[in-house]
Amino acid sequence: MARIVMKFGGTSMAGIERIRNVAARVKREWEAGNQVAVVVSAMAGETDRLVGFCKEASPLYDLREYDVVVASGEQVTSGLLAITLQAMGVPARSWLGWQLPIHTSSAHASARIDTIDTDTLNASLADGHVAVIPGFQGVADDNRVTTLGRGGSDTSAVAVAAAMKADRCDIYTDVDGVYTTDPRIVPRARKLTKVTYEEMLELASVGAKVLQTRSVGLAMKEGVRVRVLSSFEDTHDEEGHRGTLIVGEEEINDVERQVITGIAADKNEAKVTLTNVPDRPGAVAHIFGPLAEAGMNVDMIVQNVAHATGSTDVTFTVPRAELARALDVLNKAKAPIGYDDLIHDTKIAKISVVGVGMRSHAGVAATMFDTLADRRINILAITTSEIKVSVLIHEDETELAVRVLHTAYGLDAPEDEAA
């Protein structure tokens, strides 16, 4: 007998027929003698619809009431799944965030999970019941409903798995695992059997949409084994594996590991350049201090060679959706920063190669730069970590860059194995 958390996203819960498909998968695990908790998202598109209602009611809506409204989407699907399971002969009950409870911070619309009480949950599982839990929600100390931010159901699932000491957290999506890159760009992308927490965290942070970054970080911190697999098909690889396991590095043998695990592309970045910034101590702090105070996430940072005039240009990227706010902050801070011009560009893309094998292999960055140069793809900025190299390029060259790099690092599947 195993303890399993099964998480189903919005596309998996989009309508009663799909909920029946989910229930059949849950029943299969329950009939195998496993203790099962299920975490569900709202139906596809439902959260957007509810957010739209809030904005229509008032552009300056109260975040506490916003949470009340948007949390209802998961409440509906959790109840419907419990009803469907009961109709199939499976004892099931839904448990809302405040009923377990799932304790969170009081940062409405972006709360973080503090603790989860498991006494009620453990008792239910011990009685042979399936627990159905709405993702994305919890309760603050003042007993107000909170939500975790968009994509928060993945985090809910991992947190529940950690709290109940589950053997595995299965996250069902509309893809059958983690691939070396987006198969829509590279048809010969390969599905990966195992990926380390670190690699998945980097891939999620640079544009891979399979898992939410916070959920991967939590899984890494708590040592939760996560499996990504499809809600719509039971596909296995040549060795009989389903989906992709996200695990610690110790579970992946060196003989299985390539230098590069995957390539990700992200077109949701904007480039900002401040020209003729005074080249003196504290100048950069005047730029990024106000941005940090405004809660802005800054990614790639490049300080150019100093000009003869005693100044320098500073370039960095922010999420495209936050560009307007970033420009407003910088315009207001122009005097203390002392720059001449503020230039921005949204027609860019970030291309990243990720792999723990970089730690022990030289030449990864050189291969990237040579490959892009051969195709006359200009690099606008570069940033690195221990297991990642990212470059900024023009967005029109995104697909070409991903394809040529995928081939250069030997990630293409043989033609008979292509996705």
Side-chain angles (χ1 to χ4, degrees), residues 99-258:
Q99 291 176 306
L100 285 176
I102 297 173
H103 300 282
T104 75
S105 66
S106 58
H108 288 276
S110 58
R112 304 189 76 84
I113 296 175
D114 293 328
T115 59
I116 299 178
D117 292 349
T118 57
D119 291 346
T120 301
L121 179 60
N122 287 334
S124 178
L125 296 175
D127 287 340
H129 293 183
V130 170
V132 184
I133 302 166
F136 179 59
Q137 66 173 246
V139 61
D141 288 343
D142 60 0
N143 291 323
R144 297 285 307 189
V145 171
T146 57
T147 63
L148 310 183
R150 300 305 294 266
S153 291
D154 283 355
T155 302
S156 296
V158 173
V160 168
M164 61 183 268
K165 296 179 170 54
D167 296 284
R168 192 179 68 242
C169 178
D170 288 346
I171 295 185
Y172 288 80
T173 71
D174 52 3
V175 296
D176 63 344
V178 179
Y179 280 75
T180 48
T181 196
D182 188 338
R184 293 170 297 182
I185 297 176
V186 183
R188 292 175 67 180
R190 291 185 292 106
K191 189 182 77 173
L192 299 163
T193 301
K194 293 180 180 179
V195 178
T196 69
Y197 294 124
E198 287 181 278
E199 289 169 328
M200 194 66 243
L201 191 59
E202 290 281 18
L203 287 168
S205 69
V206 295
K209 301 296 191 297
V210 180
L211 289 175
Q212 196 236 18
T213 306
R214 277 173 62 186
S215 68
V216 182
L218 181 59
M220 182 176 176
K221 175 177 175 286
E222 300 293 340
V224 176
R225 301 175 83 248
V226 175
R227 183 170 65 160
V228 178
L229 61 172
S230 172
S231 295
F232 307 109
E233 52 189 72
D234 288 325
T235 53
H236 300 68
D237 62 19
E238 63 278 4
E239 297 179 2
H241 298 115
R242 292 178 62 215
T244 300
L245 275 172
I246 316 299
V247 293
E249 191 172 346
E250 66 279 359
E251 286 198 46
I252 302 180
N253 297 326
D254 286 335
V255 294
E256 298 173 337
R257 182 179 299 148
Q258 289 193 218

